[in-house]
Amino acid sequence: MRKKRRFSSRLFMGLIFVFLYAPIALLIIFSFNSSKSRTVWSGFTLEWYRQLFHDSTIMSSLTTTLSVSVLAAVIATVAGTFAAIGFYNMRRRWQNPLLAVSNIPVINADIVTGVSLCLLFVSLGSLLKFDLGFGTLLIAHVTFNIPYVILSVMPKLRQLDRNLVDAAQDLGCTWMQAFYKVIIPEILPGIINGMMIAFTMSIDDFVISYFTAGSKVQTLSMTIYAMTRKRISPKINAVSTLLFVFVLTMLLIINIREARQEKQLRLKNRTIK
Amino acid sequence: MKLRSLAIPYVGWMAVFVIAPVLIVLGYALTDAAGGLTLANFQKMGEYTAVFSRSFLLAAISTALCLLIGYPAAYLLSREKPRVQRIMLMLIMLPMWMNFLLRTYAWMSILENTGLLNRLLSFLGLPTLNIINTPGAVVIGMVYNFLPFMILPIYSVIVKIDNSLIEAAQDLGAGTASVFRKVIFPLSLPGVLSGITMVFVPAVSTFVISQLLGGGANILLGDLIEMQFLGSAYNPHLGSAIALVMMVIVMLCMWLMNKFGAGEEQAVML
């Protein structure tokens, strides 16, 4: 009976994974297809991977995506960490409404965030004489990334023992030293986690970029969107496969690291007992 | 200098890039092209009742399907060994890192009239299906894209349920079914609510899925907004009014969730 239940449970999960991975497998398989067809297999080739690096539209949009994601993630991590520490040291009466405002871009539908920022940039642009472009794209990404960093740093701050900061200052640390030597190392896992979330949010974003990048700059998602209106080149399958493999490797490294840390922690706890 | 002043730059940033845009949307929604105060934009929305009802219907069906598939998945996942759980969780999150436009586009190749599904069906001697460019295709696309957003919050709540509660129920004579009905399900409700919000909000506002899988015939609210800003029917005033309605819907969802005690952090961080 139990074995049977276990089997049907695994079968159900298996079906879900087939559903989730079938389109991805298709994309990866057809990045090696020697014809342009999306449904008929006509032989193995690496041609699309070779052509990819000579396609200036794809390469420039890939550069835009990567530079926006990296810059936005780094800026949002620094700003978000400072903001979280600031919020944490406020009274509840101030902290709660500020956190609620900070979460607006997270809870709003992407399209609403996108059009509202678009309207802001257009009206500021006509006032201060600038066009939508890389700058506005970056500002938009930083804006929707910061709340994710705050949300992942906040719980770590709540776990922090307040006495540690006082102790450091009693022992002669300036508040700057207390900040760098006590607070930052304690909340570092939350900061790194926040940066990862911000980076992936940026890389995957289409809707907000679409409304805030203007007509001169294109992210990879925007290039793909423009192509879906006509016909998608297998080169796009190739670049996505490369990105997917990259993310997979990163995730594997993180997971292995976490598993190892947990194991060490468990060993440490056992020796203490 | 105090630590709390570290938040000052971000408070300024929020004023410009979070609050001001919302106010501008409000301003656009309540004015016409000449700048006069008007409610005409909201009246004009009446012309699009069909789009509103289609969006809500399709989003509601997709949310229900996600719950129907996602809840058992989250429950079964939480019963696995920690190692298996970790791997399966990663497998559920991983697809989100493949560009979602492309994943949706891949469904086009599967569902097309000459696509892989129909090829498979005719190979097996079964009648072929006409799915692409129907509301059904849009629902498949939504369920596919948003299913992880249902599984993850429910899972994170179920996995935190204190095991001694379940043991206590069993000691007091409850069978598997009544343990589930009387202990696990009520305790998992906050996760269910945040899952529903996390699926419903993007589903009701999407414009890519409906364009790729629904053809031109199944316009949703997202398409309507997009058309008012970057598309053929340029009218940011009407677009802002619709965006405002959407904001109100989201706030209602959040209010409901807070009322039933699901923390916002839970809702966002898995």
Side-chain angles (χ1 to χ4, degrees):
Chain A
M1 182 66 193
R2 170 164 276 176
K3 223 172 197 173
K4 204 172 150 197
R5 197 182 298 154
R6 195 188 164 100
F7 174 75
S8 50
S9 139
R10 286 281 165 95
L11 183 72
F12 183 74
M13 293 307 284
L15 283 176
I16 288 181
F17 286 127
V18 169
F19 177 62
L20 287 177
Y21 281 89
I24 294 176
L26 203 67
L27 283 172
I28 294 177
I29 291 169
F30 278 89
S31 74
F32 298 108
N33 192 11
S34 60
S35 82
K36 275 198 166 187
S37 167
R38 294 184 277 125
T39 47
V40 185
W41 180 255
S42 22
F44 180 87
T45 180
L46 286 173
E47 181 61 19
W48 307 116
Y49 288 85
R50 201 184 59 78
Q51 279 190 21
L52 173 69
F53 294 97
H54 300 286
D55 187 314
S56 59
T57 319
I58 295 178
M59 287 322 274
S60 78
S61 59
L62 181 64
T63 319
T64 310
T65 298
L66 289 178
S67 41
V68 159
S69 306
V70 170
L71 279 174
V74 171
I75 297 171
T77 306
V78 176
T81 306
F82 281 131
I85 294 171
F87 285 170
Y88 174 69
N89 286 290
M90 281 177 188
R91 287 201 203 114
R92 284 260 155 186
R93 193 151 55 94
W94 287 103
Q95 196 187 84
N96 290 340
L98 282 173
L99 275 177
V101 172
S102 156
N103 278 334
I104 288 178
V106 176
I107 60 174
N108 250 341
D110 278 357
I111 193 167
V112 175
T113 309
V115 297
S116 64
L117 280 169
C118 171
L119 287 175
L120 174 82
F121 291 144
V122 169
S123 34
L124 276 184
S126 59
L127 221 66
L128 305 170
K129 302 274 170 290
F130 67 84
D131 282 334
L132 266 60
F134 190 82
T136 52
L137 182 66
L138 182 61
I139 290 176
H141 277 241
V142 170
T143 304
F144 75 73
N145 276 342
I146 291 178
Y148 289 104
V149 176
I150 294 181
L151 284 173
S152 82
V153 171
M154 234 13 183
K156 289 280 162 212
L157 279 169
R158 297 215 167 105
Q159 286 166 14
L160 180 80
D161 188 350
R162 272 183 196 267
N163 294 328
L164 280 177
V165 182
D166 293 339
Q169 282 176 323
D170 285 348
L171 294 170
C173 273
T174 63
W175 74 270
M176 271 288 254
Q177 284 170 322
F179 179 73
Y180 282 111
K181 296 198 168 170
V182 180
I183 300 180
I184 293 289
E186 283 285 317
I187 60 174
L188 198 62
I191 297 176
I192 291 174
N193 193 23
M195 181 145 72
M196 301 278 308
I197 296 173
F199 180 72
T200 48
M201 283 289 165
S202 273
I203 261 204
D204 202 44
D205 174 70
F206 163 66
V207 177
I208 297 173
S209 309
Y210 181 63
F211 283 102
T212 53
S215 50
K216 281 171 222 139
V217 187
Q218 265 196 338
T219 64
L220 193 61
S221 296
M222 290 165 73
T223 308
I224 296 171
Y225 181 69
M227 281 186 176
T228 56
R229 328 282 351 241
K230 295 170 277 172
R231 193 177 171 78
I232 283 210
S233 151
K235 281 182 265 183
I236 285 290
N237 291 21
V239 73
S240 311
T241 304
L242 291 181
L243 281 176
F244 187 73
V245 171
F246 172 70
V247 171
L248 184 64
T249 338
M250 270 201 346
L251 275 179
L252 278 176
I253 293 172
I254 293 167
N255 263 283
I256 291 169
R257 250 191 56 199
E258 268 178 14
R260 207 174 283 159
Q261 274 170 358
E262 265 169 36
K263 209 171 173 186
Q264 272 172 356
L265 205 70
R266 236 179 295 141
L267 281 175
K268 213 159 101 189
N269 284 345
R270 207 177 291 157
T271 41
I272 289 170
K273 269 175 205 165
Chain B
M1 184 144 161
K2 287 194 175 141
L3 282 172
R4 85 173 82 113
S5 53
L6 287 173
I8 291 172
Y10 180 54
V11 173
W13 181 280
M14 285 200 295
V16 181
F17 297 113
V18 179
I19 298 189
V22 174
L23 295 179
I24 293 176
V25 167
L26 188 68
Y28 266 85
L30 293 172
T31 54
D32 54 25
L37 213 60
T38 175
L39 285 174
N41 298 315
F42 292 96
Q43 277 160 7
K44 207 169 174 201
M45 271 194 266
E47 293 168 26
Y48 299 103
T49 339
V51 180
F52 272 86
S53 49
R54 188 188 300 125
S55 289
F56 281 101
L57 185 68
L58 293 188
I61 293 174
S62 311
T63 312
L65 282 174
C66 280
L67 184 59
L68 225 58
I69 304 170
Y71 195 98
Y75 177 73
L76 293 174
L77 182 59
S78 71
R79 304 288 110 181
E80 295 283 353
K81 289 192 203 94
R83 249 184 76 84
V84 183
Q85 280 185 31
R86 183 194 277 281
I87 294 168
M88 283 191 169
L89 265 184
M90 211 181 95
L91 282 174
I92 289 170
M93 283 191 267
L94 191 60
M96 294 199 268
W97 274 285
M98 190 89 171
N99 188 293
F100 98 103
L101 287 163
L102 272 177
R103 280 184 283 137
T104 311
Y105 190 73
W107 274 105
M108 250 169 107
S109 352
I110 297 176
L111 299 177
E112 268 172 346
N113 288 337
T114 54
L116 290 173
L117 184 66
N118 277 336
R119 262 163 217 268
L120 185 71
L121 286 177
S122 57
F123 177 74
L124 296 173
L126 296 166
T128 57
L129 299 166
N130 179 22
I131 304 179
I132 195 82
N133 298 345
T134 64
V138 180
V139 169
I140 292 179
M142 284 177 179
V143 173
Y144 174 74
N145 272 298
F146 307 132
L147 183 61
F149 297 147
M150 183 65 86
I151 299 179
L152 296 174
I154 298 178
Y155 163 79
S156 72
V157 173
I158 292 185
V159 88
K160 279 194 208 118
I161 292 177
D162 193 347
N163 229 347
S164 49
L165 287 176
I166 297 168
E167 280 161 15
Q170 282 164 344
D171 286 349
L172 294 170
T176 318
S178 47
V179 165
F180 178 77
R181 198 160 44 86
K182 296 202 167 146
V183 180
I184 298 177
F185 185 71
L187 286 174
S188 66
L189 270 181
V192 171
L193 278 168
S194 55
I196 289 175
T197 316
M198 284 175 75
V199 173
F200 188 79
V201 172
V204 84
S205 66
T206 181
F207 68 95
V208 177
I209 298 174
S210 48
Q211 270 174 19
L212 292 183
L213 299 174
N218 295 293
I219 292 184
L220 299 184
L221 274 180
D223 302 273
L224 201 57
I225 298 181
E226 193 251 353
M227 283 191 312
Q228 311 304 323
F229 284 93
L230 298 172
S232 42
Y234 185 74
N235 183 357
H237 298 276
L238 177 61
S240 297
I242 307 170
L244 200 65
V245 170
M246 214 169 252
M247 257 190 258
V248 173
I249 296 169
V250 171
M251 270 190 271
L252 272 177
C253 286
M254 285 294 142
W255 176 77
L256 268 177
M257 248 171 67
N258 281 333
K259 216 180 154 188
F260 288 96
E264 60 207 19
E265 276 169 39
Q266 232 168 12
V268 181
M269 311 300 297
L270 309 186

